[in-house]
Amino acid sequence: MRVLFLAWVAFADCKSSVNRHEIRKIPDGILFGTATASYQVEGAWNEDGKSESIWDRLTHSTPCPVKNCDTGDIADDSYHQYERDVEMLRELGLDFYRFSLSWTRILPTSFPDKINEKGVEYYNNLIDEMLKYNIQPMVTLYHWDLPQKLQDMGGWTNPHVVDWFTDYARIVFELFGDRVKYWFTINEPREVCYEGYGGPSLAPLYNMTGYADYMCAKNILVAHAKTYHMYKNEFSKIQGGTVGIAISANWFEAESEKEAEAAEEARQFEWGTYINPIFSKNGDFPAVMKERVAAKSFEQGFFRSRLPEFSPEEVELIKGSSDFLGINHYTSKLIYRNASLTSDTYPSPSFYDDMGVMSYYDSTWESGVSSWLKIVPWGFYNLLTKLRTDYDNPPIYITENGFSTYEGLEDDSRISYYRQYIDAMLDAVDEGSDVRAYTAWSLMDNFEWLQGYANRFGLYEVDYEDPKRTRTARKSAYVYKEMLRTRQLDYHYEPDTTLPITIDEGH
Ligand code: GBH
C-alpha cells in the first residue's frame, strides 16, 4: 500500500493510469492488423536458392547463442504454409498484414545482378493470396536479416550500405510495388544499431558500443531517406503507395519531478536519435546527443565526436523522409540520475555512458515471460501525447504492440494487455493523436531472436513438436477478432473457445 501511495505521489502531475472504459467504441478509420518478420516465421533458410543471412550464421554458430539452441531453420514453416497464414488473417477479419521480406531470398548475391525467381514467387503468392481477400500487405524491407556477405563487409557500419540497401529496395518496388501500397524501410533502427552493433543482444553481436552503434545510426538513416526519395521520385506516381519507417519507442518516465531532464534525455537518446532527424522541424540528431557525445569524446581523447555528423545536405535529405511514423511500442521504464550515477557506472565510452541515466522497472508493474516487458498502458498514452506535441502531430501507424506468455491457449494476461493498451491509445486519439493503424505483434508464435521459441507472442499458438507447425487460435485471437468485428473494446467479453474460430462472410 505504501509503495503504491508513493508511486501515486510521484506521478501526480503526469498521467499514470488510463481512463478505463468498460465498453468503448473504436473510431472508424483506424486499420487493424497483425505482424510477423521473415526470419522469425519463414524457415526454409537455404531452400530454392536463398543465401545465408546474419541470423543463419549466428544461429548456426558454436557455442549456440540462442536459448535452447533454437534456430529459424524451419521456424513456423511459413515459406510452405502461406495459405494457412492468410486463412488466419481471414479468421481474424484483419484489414492488413505486416510482414517482412528476406533480402537473401530475393537477391542471393546481395546485389541486383541475380534475382531469385523462386523467392519472388513465394512473396507473389503470399501477396496475391492476401489481396484475393482484400487484406492489404504492409511490407517491411528490412527486419534484421542482413545478407551475411554484406556483414562481412561491415554491414550497417559501412557507408556503402546506403547503395546496397537502395538497390535492393529498387528491385523490391519494381517486383511488388504494383500491389503493395504500404512500405516500411527498416524495422527498429534502434535495435539494429544499438542491440546488434553496440550491444551483444541481436546479430551480428558486434558489442562495440559508443562507435559502431552511432555509425550504424547514421548509415541507416541515410539509407532510409534515399530509399524514400527514390520511391517518391520514381515509383509513387505510378504505384501510388506510401513509405515510412518503424521505430521502436518505449516510454521513459521521470522517477520524480526533479528527474524530468534525465527522462527527456533518455527519450532523446533512445528514440530521438531516429525520430528527430526525420520528424523534427530542424532535423539532425537531437541537440543534447550531439553536444554530449562530442564533449565526452574530446574528454576521452578523441579528435572528433564518436557520433558521426550529417552534412547539411544529409540533414535536408532525411528531414521529412516519411509519409507516416511507424511506432513499435511495448513497455515503459523509470528514469533517474543522482549520486548513484558515477563515472564507473557504465563502461566508457559507451552509448549508456553518453546517455548518462539510470533506469528501472517499478516493482508494482506486472510482467509476463519477457523480463523487459512490463504492463504500463499509461506509458503508451504518454508516448503518443509527446509524439503529437513534439513533432506536429504526424500520422502514426502503431506497427507493433504485444505481450509474451508461455505455451498455452488460455492467455488472459495477453488479452488484458491488449485491452488496456488499445484503451490508452484511444485516449490519445480522443485528444487528437492521428493514429491510422494498429498492429498486434504477433499473428502467431515465432522465433523470438535470442530467446528462441520459449517466449510466445502469438494470437495463434504454433506447435513446434509438429513438423507441420500447426497453428491454433488462442483465446486472445477470439477477443481481437470480436473487437474488430464489433469495433468495440469490451473488457467483459468472454469468447466461447470451444467453438472453432471461423471465417466470417465477406472475409
Ligand atoms: C520487437 O522488438 C521486434 O521488432 C520483433 O521482431 C520482436 O519479436 C518483438 O519486438 C518482441 O520482442 O531478451 O532481454 O535481451 C522489440 C524490442 C528488442 C526488446 C530485443 C527486447 C531483447 C531484450 N526488443 N530486446 S533481452
Side-chain angles (χ1 to χ4, degrees):
M1 190 57 222
R2 199 184 133 86
V3 173
L4 278 177
F5 177 73
L6 285 176
W8 181 81
V9 169
F11 297 119
D13 64 344
C14 65
K15 188 143 175 174
S16 60
S17 64
V18 290
N19 304 326
R20 186 180 149 121
H21 303 70
E22 294 307 318
I23 292 197
R24 182 170 201 172
K25 171 98 192 71
I26 297 174
D28 297 332
I30 303 179
L31 302 174
F32 281 85
T34 59
T36 61
S38 48
Y39 187 76
Q40 296 182 274
V41 300
E42 285 178 5
W45 77 278
N46 62 355
E47 256 176 72
D48 290 343
K50 180 185 167 298
S51 70
E52 190 189 27
S53 80
I54 55 175
W55 278 93
D56 297 317
R57 176 68 62 93
L58 183 72
T59 55
H60 297 155
S61 65
T62 18
C64 51
V66 179
K67 200 182 242 172
N68 303 318
C69 294
D70 288 336
T71 74
D73 290 358
I74 302 174
D76 294 353
D77 196 33
S78 282
Y79 188 67
H80 300 113
Q81 313 228 25
Y82 69 89
E83 283 171 311
R84 170 62 181 136
D85 290 349
V86 175
E87 189 176 73
M88 285 144 60
L89 307 175
R90 296 170 63 205
E91 287 170 358
L92 293 170
L94 302 182
D95 298 313
F96 68 87
Y97 177 44
R98 174 176 177 250
F99 61 94
S100 82
L101 305 176
S102 158
W103 190 334
T104 54
R105 201 180 287 294
I106 297 171
L107 300 179
T109 68
S110 313
F111 302 117
D113 58 327
K114 186 173 172 289
I115 298 175
N116 181 23
E117 298 298 333
K118 282 284 193 184
V120 173
E121 189 185 311
Y122 165 64
Y123 294 117
N124 277 335
N125 288 340
L126 173 61
I127 292 167
D128 293 345
E129 182 73 6
M130 290 168 57
L131 288 175
K132 237 198 259 174
Y133 304 107
N134 215 7
I135 300 163
Q136 286 301 312
M138 289 196 180
V139 176
T140 308
L141 296 177
Y142 183 77
H143 197 127
W144 306 358
D145 41 358
L146 194 76
Q148 180 61 42
K149 186 199 279 179
L150 301 184
Q151 194 65 62
D152 293 342
M153 297 190 280
W156 291 103
T157 62
N158 184 336
H160 291 290
V161 74
V162 173
D163 289 339
W164 305 335
F165 184 75
T166 44
D167 289 352
Y168 159 60
R170 173 184 297 283
I171 297 286
V172 165
F173 294 149
E174 281 170 358
L175 287 169
F176 309 113
D178 56 334
R179 288 152 293 154
V180 175
K181 302 303 163 194
Y182 299 90
W183 296 102
F184 305 94
T185 53
I186 309 285
N187 180 68
E188 297 188 348
R190 184 238 170 236
E191 273 60 29
V192 174
C193 295
Y194 177 69
E195 300 207 16
Y197 291 83
S201 46
L202 290 175
L205 313 185
Y206 262 32
N207 210 6
M208 292 185 202
T209 179
Y211 320 82
D213 36 11
Y214 295 145
M215 292 158 71
C216 169
K218 176 177 177 175
N219 295 332
I220 218 167
L221 282 161
V222 175
H224 157 80
K226 287 220 162 146
T227 301
Y228 175 82
H229 291 294
M230 176 175 74
Y231 187 85
K232 290 280 133 177
N233 295 333
E234 300 179 45
F235 294 92
S236 72
K237 228 191 236 122
I238 314 153
Q239 299 187 347
T242 51
V243 183
I245 185 168
I247 296 173
S248 65
N250 289 326
W251 180 246
F252 300 93
E253 180 67 54
E255 179 194 57
S256 67
E257 221 171 302
K258 69 179 185 1
E259 303 296 349
E261 191 181 279
E264 179 58 15
E265 289 181 14
R267 292 171 211 133
Q268 293 308 324
F269 272 80
E270 291 278 2
W271 42 256
T273 311
Y274 304 97
I275 297 182
N276 208 75
I278 304 176
F279 291 93
S280 74
K281 254 205 313 295
N282 297 325
D284 207 341
F285 289 127
V288 61
M289 185 176 184
K290 286 174 41 172
E291 286 156 23
R292 176 79 45 75
V293 182
K296 289 231 176 207
S297 301
F298 290 120
E299 253 169 56
Q300 289 155 349
F302 289 85
F303 296 155
R304 66 183 69 78
S305 178
R306 287 175 280 101
L307 182 68
E309 279 184 12
F310 290 119
S311 68
E313 295 73 34
E314 285 168 338
V315 170
E316 288 310 312
L317 177 87
I318 297 168
K319 208 197 304 175
S321 65
S322 261
D323 296 325
F324 53 82
L325 171 54
I327 290 289
N328 292 1
H329 176 83
Y330 286 88
T331 196
S332 295
K333 271 189 159 184
L334 294 178
I335 300 294
Y336 68 101
R337 170 192 286 149
N338 61 21
S340 57
L341 180 74
T342 70
S343 57
D344 303 328
T345 306
Y346 298 112
S348 159
S350 70
F351 169 81
Y352 274 98
D353 184 60
D354 291 337
M355 177 164 60
V357 303
M358 311 278 278
S359 70
Y360 66 101
Y361 299 103
D362 188 290
S363 60
T364 63
W365 296 347
E366 254 177 85
S367 75
V369 175
S370 310
S371 55
W372 56 273
L373 212 179
K374 311 287 176 194
I375 306 185
V376 195
W378 55 262
F380 193 21
Y381 167 87
N382 285 1
L383 172 73
L384 289 169
T385 303
K386 170 127 177 116
L387 296 175
R388 181 176 77 239
T389 50
D390 282 15
Y391 304 105
D392 196 19
N393 201 10
I396 291 197
Y397 292 13
I398 301 304
T399 34
E400 287 181 26
N401 177 238
F403 190 68
S404 60
T405 59
Y406 291 114
E407 241 182 294
L409 299 175
E410 292 283 310
D411 55 345
D412 293 286
S413 57
R414 176 175 290 108
I415 292 168
S416 164
Y417 178 98
Y418 277 129
R419 283 175 173 156
Q420 294 182 70
Y421 270 70
I422 291 170
D423 209 357
M425 175 179 86
L426 295 179
D427 281 353
V429 169
D430 280 353
E431 290 170 20
S433 287
D434 187 10
V435 177
R436 310 258 176 108
Y438 175 88
T439 317
W441 182 274
S442 175
L443 172 63
M444 58 191 154
D445 296 339
N446 55 55
F447 179 81
E448 177 56 13
W449 311 112
L450 292 191
Q451 301 304 318
Y453 297 102
N455 291 12
R456 291 163 179 259
F457 277 88
L459 294 172
Y460 283 74
E461 178 160 280
V462 176
D463 181 356
Y464 292 100
E465 305 293 308
D466 177 351
K468 297 180 87 157
R469 299 296 191 269
T470 301
R471 294 105 156 92
T472 310
R474 290 205 169 95
K475 191 171 166 185
S476 57
Y478 289 78
V479 170
Y480 196 57
K481 174 189 175 125
E482 181 69 2
M483 196 183 77
L484 309 192
R485 192 185 71 78
T486 59
R487 293 216 58 101
Q488 167 171 302
L489 178 69
D490 175 358
Y491 279 92
H492 299 294
Y493 171 69
E494 268 293 319
D496 182 352
T497 53
T498 61
L499 300 171
I501 193 162
T502 51
I503 297 168
D504 292 343
E505 220 175 299
H507 293 275

